Amino acid sequence: MEELKNKNNFKLPSNKTFGFFFTFVFLILGIYFVDKKILSYVFFGISIFLLLISLFSSKNLKILNFLWMKFGLFLGSIISPIIMGIIYYLLITPISMIMRVFGLDSLNLRKKNKKTYWIKRSSKINSMKQLY
């Protein structure tokens, strides 16, 4: 397993866990496609095959486990920027536009001729010994 690491040094899950997970996935697919007999038999066959390999010879699943992790990292590198862009344009941008419409400046960045942006406290700082 040591030789199957990439530059990010991700750690593979155990081969048995990988095998049991995909046994479950193919079992669910077999149940879902039960009305299509041939497809159902194929999924059930793959499920039984993976179960047997997972139970008796899980080290044979190492390369599939590695390829699955690489595929997951590849998908993550594509999907994450898309999701972050969606969050930015659907959440942050409308909030900033609403703040501009109402003239809100929560960081006090519009004030000219300021030497500092620190805000003076109006109240005295209390002791930190009894917070609650």
Side-chain angles (χ1 to χ4, degrees), residues 16 24 28 41-42 49 51 56 62 68-69 76 104-105 124 126:
K16 275 191 177 190
F24 180 71
I28 296 299
Y41 291 147
V42 169
F49 178 72
L51 179 65
F56 298 115
K62 184 188 294 188
W68 182 252
M69 283 297 290
L104 299 173
D105 184 22
K124 183 182 170 190
N126 295 330

Side-chain angles (χ1 to χ4, degrees), residues 48-67:
I48 291 170
F49 178 72
L50 283 173
L51 179 65
L52 292 174
I53 288 179
S54 300
L55 289 174
F56 298 115
S57 182
S58 62
K59 59 186 166 210
N60 291 333
L61 294 173
K62 184 188 294 188
I63 197 74
L64 290 175
N65 193 0
F66 177 75
L67 291 174

Side-chain angles (χ1 to χ4, degrees), residues 74-131:
F74 172 71
L75 278 182
S77 67
I78 293 172
I79 298 299
S80 292
I82 292 171
I83 297 298
M84 293 303 288
I86 289 171
I87 289 172
Y88 180 79
Y89 286 110
L90 292 181
L91 187 71
I92 306 296
T93 304
I95 290 173
S96 70
M97 288 181 178
I98 290 170
M99 288 180 73
R100 281 188 182 200
V101 166
F102 289 111
L104 299 173
D105 184 22
S106 61
L107 296 177
N108 293 326
L109 296 176
R110 292 190 194 144
K111 294 186 179 178
K112 306 276 190 229
N113 300 325
K114 282 201 97 163
K115 293 181 182 178
T116 182
Y117 288 101
W118 284 90
I119 299 172
K120 298 270 186 194
R121 280 187 187 265
S122 59
S123 63
K124 183 182 170 190
I125 299 174
N126 295 330
S127 172
M128 298 294 281
K129 290 184 180 176
Q130 292 182 346
L131 295 176

